[in-house]
Amino acid sequence: MAESIVSAPASLPAETSLAERFAVWQDLGLDPHHCPVRDVLDHLGDKWTTLIIAVLAGGTRRFGAIQRAIPDISKRMLTQSLRDLERDGLVARRVYPTSPPSVEYSLTPLGETLLAPLAALVAWAERNHPAIRAARTRFLAEA
Amino acid sequence: MAESIVSAPASLPAETSLAERFAVWQDLGLDPHHCPVRDVLDHLGDKWTTLIIAVLAGGTRRFGAIQRAIPDISKRMLTQSLRDLERDGLVARRVYPTSPPSVEYSLTPLGETLLAPLAALVAWAERNHPAIRAARTRFLAEA
DNA sequence: CCGTATCCGGATGGATACTG
DNA sequence: CAGTATCCATCCGGATACGG
């Protein structure tokens, strides 16, 4: 997919509002290749990625250990999610050619920089979880 | 769905690490009803929600205005996403019974509290977008 | 132990047409 | 203008079985 030559806009200062950032993406036609929400966050939003990052936030883990930490993930989805994270440079995979083989996963330095903003969002979710559930109940009661 | 009587754990201080938070959810069996990642963030992770919030971060908007701001969203998906946000108490919907009718959407106070952590995550995505794209290219080159 | 391969059901989401 | 209704293709993700 011969990438466009248009370079991404210079990154804005950290305190830039969401609304201002949106205006920039909009000028680029919300092209998914230049819209970080679509190109990066959509990935974090899938069913398992955030949970896996939370596990790896605790340190290097083996494949089986991650699977035990998230009881209802299948090997298929765990492998695929880890591959995607590796592909994006957030997770490192190290294979030890022992028998039976063992494979260790850990966050890369890039992956570690994600922890702070992600933890802030998760903290928001925890703090407001009761309010959100209350809103849902109220909404249902009106229908 | 007669809700369980087990109350959610008291919320942890803001600086608590992801790994520590995960341990708490895990003790509850990662039950989706008590895991904010699953009950709240999964919702934010769907295809349009974050973009819609970014638009509303700029102020109250009418249905048509939101649709024009996000060129490739269908009316169907916009309606559905807005309903979900309204249901969770993040967005308010106000109908003016004019002819033709006009409907305004805006963030609720609860919705506004989401802007700061969300903007931080988006800022991370913007800043590291080039590094992530580079990692993808590297990954492809090895296969 | 750490995967891959295959199959398949259900959810997601786009296109289109219609309504108050 | 702001939806709803319907149909339909695609994709996500679970179950199972097999391989290095």
Side-chain angles (χ1 to χ4, degrees), chain A residues 118-128, chain B residues 11-16 21:
Chain A
L118 194 58
L121 193 66
V122 168
W124 180 91
E126 277 184 331
R127 189 163 46 247
N128 298 285
Chain B
S11 54
L12 291 74
E15 68 280 12
T16 308
R21 292 179 197 278

Side-chain angles (χ1 to χ4, degrees), chain B residues 10-82:
Chain B
S11 54
L12 291 74
E15 68 280 12
T16 308
S17 74
L18 255 187
E20 293 173 274
R21 292 179 197 278
F22 185 82
V24 176
W25 314 329
Q26 209 171 15
D27 287 345
L28 295 167
L30 280 187
D31 174 4
H33 283 300
H34 295 124
C35 176
V37 169
R38 298 187 141 184
D39 201 36
V40 180
L41 295 198
D42 273 4
H43 245 257
L44 294 183
D46 69 11
K47 197 173 180 186
W48 304 108
T49 300
T50 306
L51 286 174
I52 293 173
I53 291 175
V55 173
L56 292 181
T60 299
R61 294 282 185 276
R62 294 183 51 173
F63 186 91
I66 305 174
Q67 195 176 15
R68 278 187 300 277
I70 308 174
D72 52 350
I73 192 174
S74 64
K75 278 189 289 196
R76 178 169 140 67
M77 281 301 105
L78 180 53
T79 300
Q80 183 176 305
S81 304
L82 285 169

Side-chain angles (χ1 to χ4, degrees), chain A residues 3 29 39-40 60 66 83 95 109 114 125 127 129 135 139:
Chain A
E3 213 34 72
D39 202 35
V40 180
T60 299
I66 305 174
R83 282 293 176 284
V95 183
L114 174 58
R127 189 163 46 247
H129 198 181
F139 191 83

Side-chain angles (χ1 to χ4, degrees), chain A residues 18-89:
Chain A
L18 253 189
E20 292 174 274
R21 293 180 196 278
F22 184 82
V24 176
W25 314 329
Q26 209 171 15
D27 286 346
L28 295 167
L30 281 185
D31 173 5
H33 283 299
H34 295 123
C35 176
V37 170
R38 298 187 140 183
D39 202 35
V40 180
L41 294 199
D42 273 6
H43 245 258
L44 294 183
D46 68 12
K47 198 173 179 184
W48 304 109
T49 301
T50 306
L51 286 173
I52 293 173
I53 291 175
V55 173
L56 293 181
T60 299
R61 295 282 184 276
R62 293 184 53 174
F63 186 90
I66 305 174
Q67 197 176 15
R68 278 186 300 276
I70 308 173
D72 53 351
I73 192 173
S74 65
K75 279 189 290 194
R76 177 168 141 61
M77 281 301 105
L78 179 54
T79 301
Q80 182 176 308
S81 304
L82 285 168
R83 282 293 176 284
D84 287 346
L85 286 167
E86 190 193 358
R87 183 185 119 103
D88 284 3

